[in-house]
Amino acid sequence: MPVHNRDIAQTFDQLADLLEIADANPFRVRAYRNAARSLRASGRNVADMLAEGCDLSELPDIGEDLAAKITEIVETGHLTLLEEVAQEVPRGLADVVALPGIGPKRARSLHEALGITSLDDLQRAAEDGRIARVKGFGAKTQRRILDAVTRGKTRERRFRLDVAEDYAAPLLEYIRDLEGVEKAEIAGSYRRRKDTVGDLDIVAAGSDGAKGIEGFIAYDEVARVVSRGETRSTVILRSGLQVDLRIVAPESFGAALHYFTGSKAHSIACRHRANGKGLKMNEYGLFRGDKRQTANSETEIYDALGLPWIAPVLREDRGEIEAADAGALPDLVRLEDIRGDLHMHTTASDGRNSLREMAQAAQERGYEYIAITDHSRSQTVAGGLSVEDLEAQLDDIDALNNTLEGLCVLKSSEVDILKDGTLDYPDDLLAKLDLVVASVHAGLDLDEDAQTERIIRAMDNPHVGIIGHPTGRLINARPAAAVDLERLIEAALERGCFLEVNASPQRLDLDDVACRLARDAGLALSIGTDAHAVSGLDDMRFGIGQAQRGWLGPDDVLNTRGLNDLRDLLKRA
DNA sequence: GCCGTTTTCGGCCCGACTGTTTTCAGTCG
């Protein structure tokens, strides 16, 4: 069983949790967490790197010691240190720490005072009223613990970006209209266009914070007020989405927006850089001693750090600060650069709008071309087209193209990759298409080698242009299939075909890390919406967000090309 | 345990809010 970066990252996070409860050096704890983050952010599989003889300590936040520990995990499948620490600190305490309001110190107190080693122990102790009698705890904390345990709140719940948008847009309007609020923006992972958001961070500027907070907690959708102060408040909406509002004076808005946009790692790196320049940086601004430097906007803050403004999508401490320093920030692809959409469905399969309606909607969006990619015949549940159906559709497209101005409808299909890597239509039919998007829809549980081989075999078919949603993940619903993306990228480059960034907010597949990997390898990606209705074409912005997070520029995206260039690129030797 | 605009040792981000205290530790972002 191959070891993945995320497995190693999880081991390091577990170790950090336990070390923290054991009251270890906090900087040592942080080192493990930083290493875990670094591994998750690295598109390159460290097990493969080791096999190739690479020095892992060249990765950020991985030193000699952690490189050795990674090697141990890759070679043996476990980490001796974790097992040793688990002797001292029961692993179940990590679940206790995951509860809101319980940190390492309190978990340790509960362990020492009441012998608690698991969530079950904790629940019993809370029910018996024993927790309230422990020093530092009280009735209120006990009730909160019981509430959290019984509601199973240990797992962090994240919202898909599109779902968060639905709640965020009206709330932002509401906050902007509040008395005492001059302006407001949504910061946090929402502004960074991460595929999911844990909560909404809203930053507002105003002269009367208390008044703004008062209006905020009176919002109709608020189910529970977690905290409220003079300048910040946390609430839970009826949907379960947590919202943090922070209100600062207008002159601090830029600093606060930067601070709450994060990511945490990016903010820390910026503050570190500020320290190096004798400056202190917080959500109110930049300070030299007690003297406030002008930093009313994000641009001024970066300027004071000696850097150009860095786009929020890049703020993950994945090399953007170094790139900014070197004047080598990527020129990011924008929605306006997109000249067509190469993945969409019609009523012929499982779409809700007709061929003509999809084409008109594309024209309204200023596209030069679209590809109609209805499902192939084995997708019976999705109304997959028989050979005859598809041939009829090709005639329809010819007829439609004769009536269209400025838009070319490409003949295409989202063809199933069958279990053995062959395609769902015969080659002579595929040869009649302008583009073949090949996707896996069934058999997502193959092991990594088999799945990777299967997709590469599909790419061996010279008619294939794009691999659709390469990992098959559905956010919050289905994990990514086991595929070796590095091998897929390499195979695509060798064969002259492409991978997709599926822009549907349910998928966002490839994700940001994979986009970065492809970009670094020099493989262009297609951003396709997989629209099943006219409105789905607007999902393009989500795909753009992921692509930007993966540092993609216009040249790294297939469908920024004009039609002739696109046709050339899709031609395989 | 990592790392270097503090540079190979000695640092390591910073402030708001809550609950339990009676001046602050713990947690969170």
Side-chain angles (χ1 to χ4, degrees), chain A residues 25 86 98-99 102 114 259 261 276 314 358 370 383 387 413 495 504 519 538 550:
Chain A
N25 177 347
L99 291 170
I102 305 290
L114 303 174
Y259 186 95
T261 296
L314 297 178
M358 295 306 280
I370 56 171
V387 170
S413 172
R495 289 161 182 75
S504 162
R519 172 202 185 255
D538 294 327

Side-chain angles (χ1 to χ4, degrees), chain A residues 56-376:
Chain A
L56 296 183
S57 67
E58 280 169 18
L59 290 169
D61 297 317
I62 308 287
E64 222 172 294
D65 183 90
L66 287 179
K69 289 195 168 69
I70 292 170
T71 308
E72 183 193 347
I73 295 169
V74 169
E75 286 175 356
T76 69
H78 64 93
L79 182 62
T80 312
L81 179 62
L82 177 62
E83 278 147 35
E84 285 169 5
V85 175
Q87 299 283 317
E88 310 285 324
V89 182
R91 286 174 198 247
L93 285 180
D95 300 331
V96 174
V97 170
L99 291 170
I102 305 290
K105 298 287 193 317
R106 284 185 175 152
R108 186 179 162 86
S109 296
L110 291 170
H111 178 52
E112 285 172 352
L114 303 174
I116 283 166
T117 63
S118 69
L119 286 178
D120 286 343
D121 290 349
L122 186 70
Q123 182 165 2
R124 275 192 294 274
E127 282 165 354
D128 298 350
R130 282 179 285 145
I131 288 177
R133 295 198 290 273
V134 178
K135 189 170 157 47
F137 291 76
K140 215 161 176 176
T141 306
Q142 177 170 275
R143 198 161 52 239
R144 265 183 39 183
I145 288 174
L146 190 57
D147 187 48
V149 174
T150 50
R151 282 199 291 182
K153 292 268 282 294
T154 59
R155 274 274 137 245
E156 188 192 17
R157 187 175 162 208
R158 295 188 67 87
F159 286 72
R160 278 193 340 234
L161 187 54
D162 59 317
V163 177
E165 272 193 358
D166 289 343
Y167 297 116
L171 176 55
L172 183 62
E173 287 309 305
Y174 174 82
I175 289 173
R176 284 176 171 161
D177 283 345
L178 285 175
E179 208 183 326
V181 171
E182 285 175 25
K183 53 182 169 178
E185 291 291 346
I186 302 176
S189 45
Y190 183 93
R191 185 166 179 238
R192 303 199 311 276
R193 306 313 283 164
K194 209 166 138 65
D195 50 12
T196 58
V197 303
D199 57 21
L200 284 181
D201 296 297
I202 304 183
V203 179
S207 44
D208 190 348
K211 192 132 207 161
I213 297 290
E214 195 182 320
F216 171 58
I217 63 173
Y219 185 56
D220 189 43
E221 295 280 314
V222 170
R224 194 158 65 86
V225 177
V226 178
S227 74
R228 67 174 293 191
E230 295 282 303
T231 64
R232 83 182 289 170
S233 172
T234 298
V235 302
I236 311 284
L237 301 184
R238 280 206 287 271
S239 57
L241 182 62
Q242 177 174 314
V243 184
D244 297 333
L245 174 67
R246 183 64 186 263
I247 303 185
V248 297
E251 64 270 23
S252 291
F253 187 73
L257 183 60
H258 179 261
Y259 186 95
F260 289 101
T261 296
S263 64
K264 193 173 171 180
H266 178 86
S267 292
I268 288 175
C270 286
R271 290 199 286 277
H272 198 242
R273 191 175 166 99
N275 289 350
K277 295 181 177 296
L279 295 164
K280 188 183 75 164
M281 194 173 158
N282 59 29
E283 60 263 56
Y284 300 113
L286 276 160
F287 300 85
R288 192 176 297 280
D290 285 338
K291 200 170 176 305
R292 190 169 183 284
Q293 311 285 298
T294 45
N296 298 340
S297 68
E298 284 192 339
T299 310
E300 285 172 286
I301 287 170
Y302 283 109
D303 191 50
L305 297 176
L307 298 172
W309 182 79
I310 298 176
V313 285
L314 297 178
R315 299 182 195 168
E316 297 290 342
D317 195 22
R318 294 179 188 162
E320 72 279 6
I321 292 175
E322 294 79 359
D325 203 13
L329 280 174
D331 166 29
L332 298 174
V333 64
R334 294 164 308 158
L335 191 56
E336 309 87 87
D337 297 322
I338 298 295
R339 296 168 79 165
D341 189 338
L342 300 177
H343 192 159
M344 68 188 67
H345 300 266
T346 73
T347 46
S349 63
D350 59 348
R352 291 206 302 274
N353 289 103
S354 68
L355 175 60
R356 179 174 290 278
E357 286 166 338
M358 295 306 280
Q360 281 169 346
Q363 281 180 314
E364 285 162 17
R365 284 159 183 76
Y367 286 155
E368 294 171 28
Y369 49 83
I370 56 171
I372 297 296
T373 55
D374 277 310
H375 288 289
S376 61

Side-chain angles (χ1 to χ4, degrees), chain A residues 318-564:
Chain A
R318 294 179 188 162
E320 72 279 6
I321 292 175
E322 294 79 359
D325 203 13
L329 280 174
D331 166 29
L332 298 174
V333 64
R334 294 164 308 158
L335 191 56
E336 309 87 87
D337 297 322
I338 298 295
R339 296 168 79 165
D341 189 338
L342 300 177
H343 192 159
M344 68 188 67
H345 300 266
T346 73
T347 46
S349 63
D350 59 348
R352 291 206 302 274
N353 289 103
S354 68
L355 175 60
R356 179 174 290 278
E357 286 166 338
M358 295 306 280
Q360 281 169 346
Q363 281 180 314
E364 285 162 17
R365 284 159 183 76
Y367 286 155
E368 294 171 28
Y369 49 83
I370 56 171
I372 297 296
T373 55
D374 277 310
H375 288 289
S376 61
R377 56 188 174 181
S378 45
Q379 277 298 303
T380 48
V381 286
L385 277 61
S386 67
V387 170
E388 296 73 26
D389 288 340
L390 180 56
E391 281 175 337
Q393 188 183 57
L394 301 187
D395 292 337
D396 291 345
I397 291 175
D398 278 335
L400 178 63
N401 271 330
N402 285 332
T403 70
L404 290 175
E405 286 281 328
L407 180 81
C408 176
V409 178
L410 296 172
K411 297 173 193 165
S412 185
S413 172
E414 183 179 17
V415 183
D416 259 55
I417 300 175
L418 304 179
K419 211 150 193 171
D420 61 358
T422 59
L423 298 181
D424 197 20
Y425 287 130
D427 280 351
D428 59 344
L429 179 55
L430 299 180
K432 295 178 186 168
L433 303 177
D434 298 308
L435 164 68
V436 170
V437 177
S439 304
V440 169
H441 288 112
L444 287 155
D445 54 352
L446 294 181
D447 71 47
E448 182 173 309
D449 266 344
Q451 194 70 269
T452 306
E453 291 295 340
R454 172 192 187 185
I455 298 173
I456 291 176
R457 174 127 194 249
M459 287 195 236
D460 284 338
N461 185 312
H463 300 296
V464 168
I466 296 168
I467 299 296
H469 47 73
T471 79
R473 76 158 176 173
L474 292 175
I475 295 172
N476 287 350
R478 182 172 72 201
V483 282
D484 186 334
L485 286 172
E486 287 176 83
R487 281 183 63 200
L488 286 194
I489 289 168
E490 195 183 328
L493 279 168
E494 283 166 5
R495 289 161 182 75
C497 51
F498 303 91
L499 302 182
E500 176 182 74
V501 179
N502 191 290
S504 162
Q506 283 103 314
R507 292 188 182 271
L508 295 175
D509 174 16
L510 303 171
D511 68 9
D512 52 355
V513 172
C515 286
R516 179 77 181 273
L517 197 61
R519 172 202 185 255
D520 290 347
L523 176 69
L525 303 175
S526 167
I527 307 178
T529 60
D530 202 352
H532 282 70
V534 161
S535 58
L537 294 175
D538 294 327
D539 288 343
M540 187 60 80
R541 68 183 191 284
F542 295 110
I544 293 286
Q546 285 307 293
Q548 290 178 334
R549 288 177 56 80
W551 294 44
L552 267 61
D555 291 346
D556 303 315
V557 176
L558 186 62
N559 44 318
T560 58
R561 310 297 207 277
L563 182 59
N564 290 337

